Amino acid sequence: MTVLAENDLEFDFSAAMEAIIFDDDALHNPSTMKRVDFIAEYTDRFVFLEIKDPDQPGAANPGAFKTKLLTGNLIPDLAGKYRDSYWFRSHSGKVTKPIQYVVLISMASLEPALLLAKQDELKKSLPITHKDWSAPCAAGCAILNLDQYKKQFGADSVRRLSAGV
């Protein structure tokens, strides 16, 4: 069973064949490359997972995060993390399956409709397809809250460590 943590959130990747902490300088040497937090390999796809958790206890400035999201300034950062991670994996010969890009935003005050709108912005910002490409760079992308993440990956796929459950 593979369990990985990002600050106050713990993820159970037991359904995956393999899961790694991708945002790790030991894997990449110090560089300016932006990286997604985790990469999980399933039988039919890879999941690139980026976590944003302004609801974690002691978060520095959740209001600033929300402003960054609402003004659209977060989307280019999220797109850059995917593109750099995809570039690295591609040049390492490790893009052998379709990739699903998932951004988990754990912020209870955000409406699902806002997340859907930001997901559309992210798809355009990546971009997923281009007229000159023979294949899309991602099978899809999603921006999910905690409940949506649990519905997609299972009720026990993520838990808040500070909740003690």
Side-chain angles (χ1 to χ4, degrees), residues 64-99:
F65 175 84
K66 189 170 186 177
T67 299
K68 188 174 181 180
L69 178 66
L70 293 174
T71 60
N73 292 327
L74 181 64
I75 297 303
D77 184 53
L78 296 174
K81 285 178 180 256
Y82 178 82
R83 284 192 303 263
D84 285 4
S85 299
Y86 177 82
W87 181 85
F88 185 89
R89 295 286 286 191
S90 177
H91 285 285
S92 299
K94 295 180 180 175
V95 176
T96 57
K97 300 174 185 180
I99 301 168

Side-chain angles (χ1 to χ4, degrees), residues 20-99:
I20 61 167
I21 298 171
F22 193 68
D23 190 10
D24 181 357
D25 283 340
L27 289 175
H28 309 286
N29 298 322
S31 75
T32 59
M33 185 178 91
K34 296 180 178 188
R35 302 177 290 251
V36 297
D37 293 307
F38 302 132
I39 295 178
E41 180 180 1
Y42 296 87
T43 55
D44 60 342
R45 71 193 187 288
F46 289 102
V47 173
F48 284 23
L49 178 59
E50 176 62 21
I51 297 114
K52 298 295 181 191
D53 187 15
D55 279 352
Q56 73 176 304
N61 194 343
F65 175 84
K66 189 170 186 177
T67 299
K68 188 174 181 180
L69 178 66
L70 293 174
T71 60
N73 292 327
L74 181 64
I75 297 303
D77 184 53
L78 296 174
K81 285 178 180 256
Y82 178 82
R83 284 192 303 263
D84 285 4
S85 299
Y86 177 82
W87 181 85
F88 185 89
R89 295 286 286 191
S90 177
H91 285 285
S92 299
K94 295 180 180 175
V95 176
T96 57
K97 300 174 185 180
I99 301 168

Side-chain angles (χ1 to χ4, degrees), residues 118-140:
K118 294 302 173 183
Q119 178 177 295
D120 289 341
E121 288 179 33
L122 180 58
K123 285 179 183 177
K124 291 175 187 170
S125 187
L126 285 176
I128 290 180
T129 61
H130 188 278
K131 65 178 180 67
D132 292 334
W133 299 345
S134 61
C137 74

